[in-house]
Amino acid sequence: MILPLLLLSLAQASPAVAPPKSKVATPRAAAGPLEIRTDRLQRCVALAESDPEAARAEAGRWRIAGGRFLARGCAGLAFAAEKSWPSAAGEFEDAAREAQLAKDAGAANYWAQAGNAWLAAAQPAKARAALDSALTAGTLTGLPLGEAQLDHARALVATGDLESARTDIDLALTNAADDPLAWLLSATLARREGNPVRAKKDIGEALKRAADDASVQLEAGNIAALAGDEAGAREAWGQAARLAPDTPVGRSAVTALRQFDAGSGAPRADAPGTSAPIGR
């Protein structure tokens, strides 16, 4: 979600640019400063995907030349591409602060990106603080708003505030209904809340959107096990193990399946590592 939000932030920087759907809209006016920085951002973003180290160098040169928050945002993308999550989060937070000083409407997007990076860094308290800033700005709408609400919910789950997380997840399901992670997290939370009907419904929605995701299959097995559906649990856990055999998710599925082999009776739905993922 980081790349679309960064591109969206550029478009929101000027009311002369029509809101984009998935990429930066081309300005209608003749070539000028906005078009120049749009082009430079796109080049820096492309470089971040192919050569993060070179992108960081370009972002540094651009910042010296006056690129301000756009340059910092690109540096954040480069760090994210390298999975240097704390560094990415720091760049996005600096971009957000600079955007706020410039009264740029894209500041909330940078706060949201920072929150997402802090989640990937397994620092949910910092993620929650950044996402609080993103949501209270009041400028996020549509899918970016839904994704920020979802990330806020993930931070709340990670810090143990399940009641507040439910509120955020329900909002996210309205604004980001096509994101399977939203349904996965909702299903996992419903299971933990002792609401099997809601859990089954929501994991069904996640499976419609991402049946090839091992995390979704793992949780489907957990929910089936909770309902006493041995065949359903076996099938889903087996799928998770096949989809991601050399990952923590796949290993958790194998551990869960061994309950059947050991003849331990009804399978447990709380094997280690079976909760919804925190990082994207």
Side-chain angles (χ1 to χ4, degrees):
M1 289 309 302
I2 287 176
L3 175 56
L5 289 175
L6 177 58
L7 295 177
L8 180 61
S9 71
L10 173 62
Q12 290 179 332
S14 170
V17 182
K21 292 182 180 179
S22 59
K23 60 182 180 180
V24 176
T26 302
R28 300 190 187 102
L34 177 60
E35 189 168 2
I36 291 171
R37 64 177 179 166
T38 298
D39 181 65
R40 189 161 188 175
L41 175 63
Q42 290 175 328
R43 284 188 282 112
C44 193
V45 167
L47 193 58
E49 296 179 324
S50 62
D51 189 343
E53 184 176 356
R56 285 192 282 109
E58 164 61 12
R61 290 189 293 270
W62 190 13
R63 189 160 60 244
I64 292 171
R68 299 187 299 167
F69 52 87
L70 295 178
R72 286 198 177 277
C74 186
L77 280 179
F79 279 120
E82 296 173 321
K83 301 190 185 303
S84 297
W85 300 116
S87 296
E91 290 288 352
F92 289 134
E93 287 189 343
D94 286 342
R97 294 185 185 98
E98 290 191 19
Q100 285 177 329
L101 288 174
K103 301 188 185 305
D104 187 275
N109 289 309
Y110 290 115
W111 283 121
Q113 290 168 302
N116 188 267
W118 283 127
L119 281 173
Q123 297 196 43
K126 291 183 177 181
R128 180 176 179 174
L131 290 157
D132 281 342
S133 296
L135 293 169
T136 57
T139 55
L140 295 177
T141 60
L143 181 60
L145 173 60
E147 295 294 351
Q149 290 165 334
L150 174 58
D151 281 350
H152 196 257
R154 292 162 62 210
L156 290 169
V157 168
T159 55
D161 189 352
L162 302 188
E163 184 176 351
S164 298
R166 169 51 68 193
T167 299
D168 275 345
I169 290 173
D170 288 344
L171 290 171
L173 290 175
T174 298
N175 294 304
D178 289 334
D179 188 340
L181 179 60
W183 294 103
L184 171 59
L185 188 59
S186 183
T188 303
L189 183 58
R191 173 172 61 81
R192 293 176 63 178
E193 292 170 327
N195 187 344
V197 175
R198 176 75 185 267
K200 183 176 181 179
K201 171 184 174 296
D202 288 356
I203 200 62
E205 294 293 335
L207 285 166
K208 288 179 186 176
R209 293 162 174 81
D212 60 348
D213 187 312
S215 294
V216 173
Q217 291 289 351
L218 181 65
E219 183 58 31
N222 296 342
I223 291 168
L226 187 66
D229 179 4
E230 179 178 330
R234 280 181 179 270
E235 173 62 22
W237 284 336
Q239 283 277 47
R242 286 188 290 273
L243 286 166
D246 299 318
T247 68
V249 170
R251 288 190 286 271
S252 291
V254 171
T255 298
L257 284 166
R258 285 175 181 157
Q259 297 175 92
F260 297 112
D261 299 333
S264 56
R268 294 169 54 229
D270 59 350
T274 58
S275 58
I278 294 301
R280 285 188 188 270

